[in-house]
Amino acid sequence: MPRIALFDSGIGGLSVLQGIKQHIAHADIVYFADHQFSPYGDKDPTWLNAHIISLVSALDYNHALDAIIIACNTASTLCLDQLRACINTPIIGVVPAVKTAASFTKKRAIGVLATPTTVISDYLQSLITRFAHDCHVTKVSSTELVFMAEQKLNKQTIDQKRLANIIEPFVHAECDYVVLGCTHFPHLKKELNALVPQIHWIDSTHAIAKRCIDVLPKVQPPMDCAIDCDAIFYSSAQIKQGLHKTLKELGFTEINSATQFV
């Protein structure tokens, strides 16, 4: 049975995990959430690059992994090449779905909602130049939405008015497709659709799962029959009871918080 690791600054990558479960029937999961230093989007890039490489290297060293998913747009845009240079296990990054948005838009007006580091990254600009050069692209950066997604998964209430204010630039620009350029943000799709139903909010979840199938040893498609799979969760900080409950609901069999070594 393949073993897949997901690495994120927090629990945004759980949206990626849900996509994987829809495409891969039987796999052990190791999830690491770096809550101690979340969010990544406002951290110094040089420090963050070294920090992420250290953690992911430890994750790879301590677990017999078949694939590592960097389930964080900020980390993916920052250090995928360096990670692949020092780790032999296949590494899959998260690419903002700019190409998809540009191919679907009717208005030639799209948006990108991401963390500050991703919004100003050369990588995002290269995607826009390559795939959306004929579109008006509205970019909005937010670390607050990271906290909102974490609040939701902690069974807490979200400030809908504040959420509406953050996404107002997309409404003003009359975007018909907006890329959710942070894996935390798909957790807020229900709220986003309710606030602005005329916008299609898209992410890379299913594309990541399909790429995972490509790099793994032979995997089986989803089946109805139950097979025991390990699902281990690590956090570098203490987690709240609400999140603990959510993780249990998602099928995690082992939950470890305040873990300094993975």
Side-chain angles (χ1 to χ4, degrees):
M1 186 181 302
R3 173 165 289 190
I4 304 168
L6 292 94
F7 175 90
D8 189 17
S9 62
I11 47 180
L14 294 177
S15 64
V16 177
L17 177 59
Q18 290 169 332
I20 288 173
K21 286 183 174 180
Q22 293 178 24
H23 292 273
I24 300 173
H26 312 133
D28 291 333
I29 301 296
V30 180
Y31 190 109
F32 185 84
D34 192 18
H35 278 125
Q36 185 178 2
F37 295 100
S38 179
Y40 280 171
D42 59 2
K43 300 295 187 295
D44 174 72
T46 301
W47 174 86
L48 187 59
N49 186 71
H51 176 71
I52 291 169
I53 291 173
S54 175
L55 284 177
V56 176
S57 297
L59 188 68
D60 183 59
Y61 181 80
N62 286 291
H63 299 274
L65 301 174
D66 295 292
I68 301 171
I69 299 173
I70 306 302
C72 171
N73 290 80
T74 300
S76 293
T77 56
L78 186 64
C79 58
L80 272 185
D81 289 342
Q82 295 96 317
L83 285 169
R84 287 168 175 158
C86 63
I87 296 174
N88 291 326
T89 303
I91 295 178
I92 301 164
V94 181
V95 178
V98 172
K99 181 179 180 180
T100 303
S103 66
F104 286 165
T105 179
K106 305 299 182 185
K107 297 183 177 180
R108 312 315 299 164
I110 66 173
V112 178
L113 180 59
T115 62
T117 299
T118 298
V119 163
I120 66 172
S121 69
D122 292 337
Y123 186 74
L124 176 61
Q125 186 54 51
S126 70
L127 290 175
I128 292 171
T129 300
R130 183 178 179 186
F131 299 114
H133 55 86
D134 63 339
C135 296
H136 176 74
V137 181
T138 300
K139 295 185 283 186
V140 173
S141 65
S142 175
T143 55
E144 191 171 354
L145 259 66
V146 174
F147 294 115
M148 287 186 179
E150 298 260 341
Q151 284 178 328
K152 181 176 180 179
L153 292 171
N154 273 285
K155 310 292 187 182
Q156 298 172 3
T157 303
I158 295 170
D159 186 341
Q160 297 274 27
K161 184 176 180 180
R162 180 59 189 145
L163 180 59
N165 289 338
I166 292 171
I167 63 175
E168 174 59 29
F170 301 126
V171 179
H172 181 74
E174 298 185 351
C175 299
D176 55 354
Y177 283 83
V178 172
V179 177
L180 299 176
C182 172
T183 54
H184 277 80
F185 298 169
H187 293 298
L188 300 171
K189 266 189 178 181
K190 180 179 179 180
E191 290 77 11
L192 292 168
N193 284 325
L195 287 169
V196 193
Q198 69 269 28
I199 292 179
H200 300 276
W201 306 90
I202 61 174
D203 59 77
S204 305
T205 298
H206 294 289
I208 297 166
K210 291 177 181 177
R211 177 59 184 153
C212 199
I213 292 173
D214 290 339
V215 304
L216 285 175
K218 186 177 180 181
V219 298
Q220 296 174 308
M223 298 172 61
D224 292 332
C225 59
I227 290 202
D228 289 336
C229 298
D230 290 332
I232 305 171
F233 181 91
Y234 296 97
S235 173
S236 58
Q238 288 288 350
I239 63 173
K240 297 179 180 179
Q241 188 59 38
L243 176 56
H244 195 281
K245 182 178 179 181
T246 296
L247 294 170
K248 285 290 187 182
E249 291 171 354
L250 291 173
F252 280 93
T253 53
E254 182 181 333
I255 301 171
N256 306 278
S257 59
T259 301
Q260 297 302 314
F261 301 98
V262 295

